[in-house]
Amino acid sequence: MKKHIVVLTGAGISAESGIKTFRDADGLWEGHDVMEVATPEGFKANPELVLDFYNQRRKQLFEVTPNSAHYDLAKLENDYKVTIITQNVDDLHERSGSSNVIHLHGELLKVRSTFDNTDILEWKTDLVLGDICKKGHQLRPHIVWFGEDVPMIESAMAICNTADILFIIGTSMQVYPAAGLMNYVPQNTPTYFIDPKPNITSTEHLTVIAESATTGVAKALKMLGTS
């Protein structure tokens, strides 16, 4: 039976493909206060602004491509069972060939009904006011906004509990509930933490690689004996 590698990824891996990180140091996302464009209250106050904001993010997604870190993780499936749990809303993991990806915070290329959270549609064009679900309710981005539940978190916890090896890539692991996932892997699970500015140090079972995702993943795979 193949060993199970669980990979937790954040904005850092997508940033190397040209996708802006969720929140810059000034607290803005693409020039917007995140509370205006990433909360239910913001959507209620100005739905056109929010829809346009995600339309622009969706367009940007079609202008970028996966980087070597994405492809290296996809190739791990040749030798391991791999589950990627990502905080990112892009599809770069899927485009690089990863077959088992869980999106904690939703997906840019999907929308859902404002009436029924389980009514989810694939969506690659602009979403505007008047685009409705089959029951006549406005569609919204399939994104988990601040203040909303993270529906996939319990599944992610259960998956982490089955990890033989853990990779943490491009995330400070400070945003909850995602930050708590590393506590659900079995004790003493070999862990590789890849981030250019790590906020933890190496221990017996934790290897910290203070590099970007592209170079750090390649280095981790060599340590693992896979390259």
Side-chain angles (χ1 to χ4, degrees), residues 190-203:
T191 300
Y192 298 85
F193 188 102
I194 301 163
D195 193 87
K197 296 179 180 179
N199 53 2
I200 58 176
T201 56
S202 295
T203 63

Side-chain angles (χ1 to χ4, degrees), residues 24-190:
D24 295 324
D26 57 6
L28 301 180
W29 186 15
E30 297 281 356
H32 292 277
D33 182 331
V34 294
M35 302 310 287
E36 293 180 350
V37 296
T39 63
E41 294 78 13
F43 184 62
K44 183 177 181 180
N46 194 340
E48 287 183 310
L49 171 68
V50 175
L51 293 178
D52 181 65
F53 178 81
Y54 288 97
N55 288 341
Q56 298 307 315
R57 307 286 75 70
R58 199 177 297 110
K59 288 176 181 175
Q60 181 192 35
L61 185 52
F62 292 118
E63 298 171 358
V64 300
T65 56
N67 59 56
S68 62
H70 292 107
Y71 286 110
D72 283 343
L73 292 176
K75 285 186 284 189
L76 272 177
E77 293 188 17
N78 293 332
D79 301 301
Y80 298 89
K81 174 184 177 182
V82 181
T83 305
I84 294 176
I85 302 170
T86 186
Q87 298 173 64
N88 300 330
V89 296
D90 58 68
D91 66 338
L92 297 180
H93 283 301
E94 288 90 343
R95 273 199 259 164
S96 64
S98 289
S99 62
N100 192 11
V101 184
I102 291 177
H103 288 268
L104 287 178
H105 296 159
E107 300 177 63
L108 265 178
L109 298 183
K110 292 181 180 179
V111 300
R112 71 174 187 257
S113 170
T114 52
F115 175 74
D116 179 1
N117 287 343
T118 65
D119 186 1
I120 302 168
L121 303 171
E122 303 282 340
W123 203 271
K124 295 186 177 181
T125 59
D126 284 354
L127 178 65
V128 299
L129 286 179
D131 287 330
I132 57 176
C133 70
K134 57 182 177 287
K135 293 183 179 178
H137 297 271
Q138 175 65 40
L139 294 167
R140 56 159 280 184
H142 183 48
I143 303 293
V144 176
W145 288 329
F146 288 103
E148 294 185 320
D149 291 336
V150 181
M152 296 303 296
I153 193 67
E154 289 190 6
S155 295
M157 291 173 180
I159 289 166
C160 286
N161 199 35
T162 68
D164 295 304
I165 300 167
L166 178 68
F167 277 41
I168 301 171
I169 305 166
T171 173
S172 63
M173 296 303 288
Q174 292 180 323
V175 177
Y176 285 85
L181 288 175
M182 63 187 298
N183 299 322
Y184 284 86
V185 300
Q187 192 172 8
N188 300 330
T189 297

